Structure formats: structure tokens, C-alpha cells
Amino acid sequence: MQKIKIKYFTDKIEPLDYIEGKSDWIDMRASEEVTLKAGEFALIPLGVAMELPKGYEAHLVPRSSTFKNWGIIQTNSVGIVDGSYCGDNDMWRMPVYATRDTVIHVNDRIAQFRIVENQPEIVFEKVEHLTGKDRGGFGSTGLS
């Protein structure tokens, strides 16, 4: 089991933990109240900094209910927190765009993350033909 050093910037949010039996993603909470008007951008503080194990990164995404509940969209779609972001003042934040007027309260669960091993080093080999079967276009839809 990996141990991760975590610094909390406030005691107003619940400590990070798995939700038993639901998922291996971990919910993140707003650590400050944030009021947004439609069309505004904000970096919502999540109240923690972490020192990830060597060779790991974190992927931060909105929870499935975030848009429905608050009308915000994470502006970078997926936030990648690499291992170098591990200083005492490197608080995690969620960059969002508001599609309607909204208020995010302290301790609201707005994001989730998981820790992922870094991609191994790869080398690309240029070829004239691939050996797999053509699937007819874009992904599994067959659209081009």
C-alpha cells in the first residue's frame, strides 16, 4: 500500500477517504465558498497539497453531478497533477467556468481524483502498414 503525505489548508473540509464499495476515485471538496456569475472563471481551492510517490501522478475530474448541481465545467477537462507539484504551498485547485450563476459552499464535493502510475517511456516506430484489422473510421462508431 502506497502512503501519500497530505497537507490540509483548513479543518473545514472532511478528510480525504474512499467511499466504501462505490469507487476507487476519491472525492475532493471546495475549501472556500466561491460565488460565480454566468461566464466567470475561477480556480476553486480544494484545500489540500500532496506529495505523490515517485513515478505517480493524479488525475482530477469533475464528479458526475458537478454540472447538474452547480453549472460549472472544468476548463482543462482533466487536470493532471504531476509529482513535481508537491511543495508546502502547492494547494490543488479546480479551474472552472460557470454556465449559470452559482455558489459553491465549503465542503461541497465538486471533483474526484485518482493516483495513476506514470506512463512508461515509449519509442515510436514508423511503419508503412499496421497489422490490425481496419474498423472503418473514427473509433467504434464507423464514422469518418
Side-chain angles (χ1 to χ4, degrees):
M1 177 180 290
Q2 292 281 356
K3 287 190 178 184
I4 296 177
K5 293 179 182 177
I6 184 168
K7 175 184 175 180
Y8 289 92
F9 289 83
T10 180
D11 59 1
K12 294 179 183 176
I13 59 172
E14 292 182 32
L16 300 185
D17 199 8
Y18 287 104
I19 298 176
E20 188 70 30
K22 282 198 165 187
S23 172
D24 62 353
W25 289 76
I26 300 169
D27 287 344
M28 299 292 288
R29 299 168 182 273
S31 64
E32 296 176 17
E33 184 165 303
V34 176
T35 301
L36 293 166
K37 298 284 186 199
E40 288 185 334
F41 169 82
L43 290 169
I44 300 178
L46 300 174
V48 298
M50 293 183 223
E51 193 173 312
L52 300 176
K54 185 171 177 57
Y56 286 82
E57 64 192 23
H59 295 182
L60 177 74
V61 298
R63 294 183 76 239
S64 59
S65 61
T66 298
F67 182 77
K68 174 182 67 86
N69 291 339
W70 295 283
I72 56 175
I73 297 171
Q74 185 172 335
T75 58
N76 57 349
S77 300
V78 175
I80 306 298
V81 182
D82 66 47
S84 70
Y85 195 69
C86 60
D88 218 26
N89 293 306
D90 290 335
M91 183 179 10
W92 292 19
R93 298 172 191 272
M94 182 180 182
V96 301
Y97 175 82
T99 62
R100 64 176 187 251
D101 293 359
T102 192
V103 178
I104 296 102
H105 300 284
V106 172
N107 220 35
D108 281 345
R109 294 182 302 156
I110 60 169
Q112 58 190 334
F113 79 98
R114 72 180 319 154
I115 305 296
V116 180
E117 196 167 1
N118 293 134
Q119 178 172 286
E121 187 174 329
I122 59 174
V123 175
F124 292 99
E125 177 185 354
K126 184 177 177 181
V127 298
E128 292 296 320
H129 301 284
L130 301 174
T131 57
K133 179 182 175 191
D134 283 339
R135 295 182 62 194
F138 180 77
S140 61
T141 64
L143 301 174
S144 0

